[in-house]
Amino acid sequence: MALLVKDLLPLDMPKVRTLSPDTTVYEAIEILARIDSGALPVVEGGKVLGILSERDYTRKVALENKQSSKILVHEIMSAPVVSVTSETSVEDCLSLMNSKQIRHLPVIERTGELVGFISVLHVISALLNGERQVVSELKEYVSQTWPF
C-alpha cells in the first residue's frame, strides 16, 4: 500500500504557518530563522499565491544587493505554486519535486484549503522509514522460516 501525504501530516492538523504577500522580506527571513524553516507559503484571503524560500532571498535580494527591509514578499516569492493533496502518494511527491527542482510543496485540498506544507526532507524520511519497515519484515519472515 502506497504511503500518502496525509500519512506525513500531524493528526491534529495544526494551522499551517504562512506569510502575507505584504510582509517585508526582512520580517519574513526573521520568521524563517525563528521557526527554523527554509520556506513558507505566501497566502492571502485563504489562497496560496506563492512560496518564499531562503533561495528566493539569496538570489533575488542578497545577490542583487537590495535592502530586504524595503522589498515585499510578493516581489520575490516563487509562483505559480506547485501543490499536492493529502491523497497524493509520497513517491509522486518526490517525482514532482525532482522534475520541478523544488524542495517544498503546499498540501492543498480540492476545496482550496491549505492543510499542510511538506519538504523534501519529510518525503525522503517517509520513504526511508517505509524501506526500513519492509527490510525488518523480510528479516522477520526469513528468520521464522529458515532453514527451509
Side-chain angles (χ1 to χ4, degrees):
M1 186 160 126
L3 191 62
L4 302 177
V5 169
K6 67 181 174 185
D7 300 321
L8 305 181
L9 300 176
L11 294 176
D12 57 354
M13 291 289 204
K15 184 177 179 203
V16 179
R17 202 166 255 219
T18 63
L19 295 170
S20 163
D22 296 324
T23 302
T24 68
V25 170
Y26 183 86
E27 292 170 319
I29 295 299
E30 280 185 322
I31 292 167
L32 290 174
R34 186 172 57 248
I35 66 170
D36 193 28
S37 179
L40 282 174
V42 180
V43 175
E44 184 173 59
K47 182 175 173 16
V48 180
L49 304 177
I51 295 173
L52 180 77
S53 69
E54 293 169 331
R55 182 183 280 185
D56 293 319
Y57 170 78
T58 302
R59 294 179 179 182
K60 299 171 187 173
V61 179
L63 284 177
E64 294 186 17
N65 203 26
K66 294 181 178 177
Q67 286 189 308
S68 58
S69 61
K70 296 187 181 201
I71 298 171
L72 301 179
V73 164
H74 73 86
E75 297 176 67
I76 69 162
M77 68 184 182
S78 295
V81 174
V82 176
S83 65
V84 294
T85 72
S86 62
E87 296 298 321
T88 304
S89 76
V90 174
E91 291 86 357
D92 286 346
C93 289
L94 186 59
S95 178
L96 183 61
M97 291 171 147
N98 186 45
S99 68
K100 299 288 186 181
Q101 296 185 340
I102 56 177
R103 296 183 179 132
H104 299 87
L105 288 169
V107 182
I108 302 173
E109 295 304 356
R110 302 206 191 287
T111 61
E113 179 187 9
L114 175 66
V115 296
F117 190 64
I118 60 173
S119 75
V120 70
L121 293 176
H122 294 115
V123 171
I124 291 172
S125 291
L127 291 171
L128 286 174
N129 288 337
E131 294 299 319
R132 285 186 188 115
Q133 180 65 31
V134 168
V135 168
S136 177
E137 289 170 6
L138 287 172
K139 282 181 179 178
E140 180 67 23
Y141 173 76
V142 169
S143 71
Q144 290 176 359
T145 60
W146 185 263
F148 297 106

